Amino acid sequence: MIPVRGVEGQRLAVLGLGRSGLTAARAIRAGGGIPVGWDDNPAAREAAEAEGIETLDLRRQGAFEAISALIVSPGIPHLYPAPNPVVLAALEAGVPVDNDIGLFFRSFATPDWDNFDTPPRVVAVTGSNGKSTTSALIHHILEQAGRPAQLAGNIGRGVLDLDPPADGDVVVLELSSYQTDLARALTPDIAVFTNLSPDHLDRHGGLGGYFAAKRRLFAEGGPDRAVIGVDEAEGLYLAGQLSEGPGDDRVIRVSSGQKLSGAGWNVFARKGFLTEWRKARQTASIDLREIKGLPGAHNHQNACAAYAVARALGLAPRVIETALQSYPGLPHRSQRVAEANGIVYVNDSKATNVDAAARALSAFKRIRWICGGLEKEGGLDALSGATGAVAKAYVIGREAAQFAMQLDVEAEVCTTMENAVSRAMAEAEPGDTVLLAPAAASFDQYDNFEQRGTDFVEQVTKRLG
């Protein structure tokens, strides 16, 4: 655990007592502070009280008297679509509002580091799509290279649940916009921006607010080095803001699909080859085409970002290439589930928005596409032109018929995963890929995208025997 520093004897309120909130309360207590928590769910309050954590209804008048700070769990909206009444009460009382990410960054470094040969480093990854794969890939490369590393944040462990860092340790954090938006301290050594596409717009008051939440990772203190995906205008803008000139190699620009050259530090993938270009010359090249854990241009962008981080940490290109070859992939993210009779089955349940689904659709040549669910704001227009490889769509979800009507390919309304998998497998031919890439949230039928992906895997496995 990372004890929270600078809270000795202070009372800190924690709003939301799920995984991150309960861990934050424990870390506050470990640092000598006094956590008081609140959650609308009685079971969550009981779990906290069972650990000796005091609960206090933060909705009550005067609840913030003698409270030093309010720590808000990332799943709780604070400003949009409407101000959260507890957060508003804290602000009106002059109480600072933070989250577990902010507590981590202010508490991670300790005087023990004076005895280390190599200070620990923090790599933080954000963006709309690919941040989980990029984070896991960085962690995998470091482990394969024999570097001590931990993975946390929106993937793996909660940030305050990490082990105190060892000499030379690297902590890799996946951070969502929910996590960067409120953190009062954001000081990674290396920060990564993968890409931006519309998502969580209600939570951030629109696309500008969503980008602003991501941008905070680079503006609140500023990393020593930034790895920026420049395939969208927002990434180009961010790289331009952080760079002092064309040759400033503190910014590593990353692309999938376009060649990047010039005096700076660039890493890009074209036609399946990753290329590092530095100081106006090529310094390395890696063939990504046969790496099964990284199919498609979107995963090649993830590989470029992970490669750039590893290079910034001092790893040699050949060491990185060897590690990329052994990357197994993540569950529910371009996960190769099975191959039988010349047909490949891929679980990309994490493709919960149209941009992520479009990227998945570009990775395979002939697709039996399982899609549908709770449609997000903005509709499906962004899928136009991205379905050229789709032989047929099999649509799930409570509003499957309406979803199917918006697609520009032949579509069959299946409603359930069981029916969709059964129909796709019955019609698939050798050379096809049966792909789950929903382009929608899962909450109309499942608790989360993981449960949806697991259902897909189970249906496939059952039928293949």
Side-chain angles (χ1 to χ4, degrees):
M1 175 162 285
I2 307 294
V4 177
R5 294 168 59 82
V7 297
E8 295 86 353
Q10 300 178 31
R11 287 168 62 85
L12 282 77
V14 178
L15 179 61
L17 294 170
R19 185 190 73 161
S20 64
L22 199 55
T23 300
R26 295 173 186 141
I28 290 167
R29 186 166 59 187
I34 305 166
V36 293
W38 179 256
D39 195 298
D40 290 341
N41 184 350
R45 298 198 301 270
E46 290 173 7
E49 289 169 353
E51 294 192 27
I53 295 168
E54 177 188 347
T55 57
L56 172 68
D57 189 345
L58 298 174
R59 303 168 299 180
R60 292 170 49 187
Q61 185 75 21
F64 286 96
E65 293 177 5
I67 295 293
S68 298
L70 172 65
I71 310 304
V72 181
S73 296
I76 299 175
H78 58 277
L79 186 58
Y80 299 110
N84 183 285
V86 172
V87 174
L88 191 61
L91 295 173
E92 288 174 344
V95 172
V97 179
D98 205 346
N99 63 12
D100 60 334
I101 304 301
L103 295 180
F104 167 83
F105 276 109
R106 85 185 218 187
S107 306
F108 185 58
T110 70
D112 295 340
W113 290 20
D114 294 339
N115 301 317
F116 290 167
D117 292 329
T118 304
R121 310 285 293 279
V122 177
V123 178
V125 181
T126 195
S128 296
N129 300 304
K131 57 185 179 292
S132 295
T133 296
T134 299
S135 301
L137 188 52
I138 294 167
H139 182 252
H140 176 77
I141 292 169
L142 291 168
E143 285 196 322
Q144 293 299 302
R147 295 281 295 270
Q150 299 185 71
L151 180 64
N154 206 40
I155 185 174
R157 304 163 70 178
V159 291
L160 293 171
D161 195 37
L162 287 168
D163 299 326
D167 193 336
D169 202 355
V170 179
V171 170
V172 184
L173 302 180
E174 180 200 339
L175 299 182
S176 71
S177 58
Y178 293 3
Q179 294 169 304
T180 58
D181 202 12
L182 265 184
R184 293 172 65 88
L186 286 166
T187 54
D189 297 283
I190 301 173
V192 181
F193 178 85
T194 58
N195 50 59
L196 193 85
S197 62
D199 208 356
H200 309 304
L201 300 188
D202 57 338
R203 172 72 180 259
H204 298 291
L207 185 61
Y210 178 51
F211 177 50
K214 301 285 189 186
R215 182 182 172 276
R216 292 190 76 248
L217 183 61
F218 304 84
E220 300 296 318
D224 295 334
R225 179 158 272 132
V227 175
I228 308 293
V230 295
D231 289 334
E232 293 90 26
E234 291 85 357
L236 277 172
Y237 172 81
L238 185 57
Q241 282 201 316
L242 296 171
S243 177
E244 294 295 333
D248 186 356
D249 68 359
R250 292 175 303 170
V251 177
I252 307 177
R253 291 169 172 82
V254 166
S255 173
S256 176
Q258 59 175 316
K259 179 179 179 180
L260 304 176
S261 58
W265 196 350
N266 305 296
V267 180
F268 60 90
R270 290 185 72 210
K271 299 180 180 179
F273 285 86
L274 180 154
T275 300
E276 180 184 2
W277 191 276
R278 192 172 186 185
K279 295 181 180 179
R281 66 184 182 89
Q282 180 177 317
T283 56
S285 179
I286 297 174
D287 186 350
L288 302 173
R289 292 173 298 177
E290 299 304 317
I291 301 178
K292 291 185 177 181
L294 295 168
H298 61 304
N299 276 311
H300 293 175
Q301 183 190 52
N302 300 334
C304 287
Y307 175 95
V309 169
R311 291 288 285 136
L313 290 170
L315 272 62
R318 292 305 168 205
V319 171
I320 302 170
E321 180 177 10
T322 300
L324 291 176
Q325 296 289 345
S326 63
Y327 178 65
L330 281 175
H332 315 298
R333 299 162 178 88
S334 298
Q335 178 190 9
R336 194 182 179 99
V337 173
E339 183 174 357
N341 303 317
I343 302 164
V344 175
Y345 299 87
V346 176
N347 167 25
D348 203 348
S349 184
K350 185 62 169 64
T352 58
N353 59 51
V354 293
D355 187 69
R359 291 168 183 256
L361 292 173
S362 71
F364 307 99
K365 292 181 179 179
R366 182 177 164 86
I367 299 168
R368 301 284 172 176
W369 179 29
I370 298 176
C371 58
L374 189 62
E375 190 177 327
K376 291 191 174 181
E377 185 178 344
L380 305 179
D381 291 346
L383 286 171
S384 178
T387 57
V390 176
K392 185 176 177 180
Y394 306 82
V395 187
I396 63 173
R398 289 205 299 247
E399 303 297 331
Q402 182 179 342
F403 195 100
M405 290 176 60
Q406 300 179 67
L407 300 178
D408 59 358
V409 296
E410 180 186 355
E412 180 177 336
V413 175
C414 296
T415 307
T416 68
M417 184 69 72
E418 182 178 14
N419 289 339
V421 170
S422 177
R423 294 293 300 137
M425 293 182 75
E427 297 184 348
E429 303 171 358
D432 286 358
T433 297
V434 176
L435 171 68
L436 171 64
S442 59
F443 305 123
D444 59 333
Q445 291 182 306
Y446 301 95
D447 291 340
N448 47 53
F449 73 83
E450 293 97 339
Q451 190 181 81
R452 176 173 58 190
T454 298
D455 191 11
F456 171 77
V457 173
E458 289 175 351
Q459 296 297 334
V460 170
T461 303
K462 179 172 66 176
R463 284 164 176 77
L464 291 178

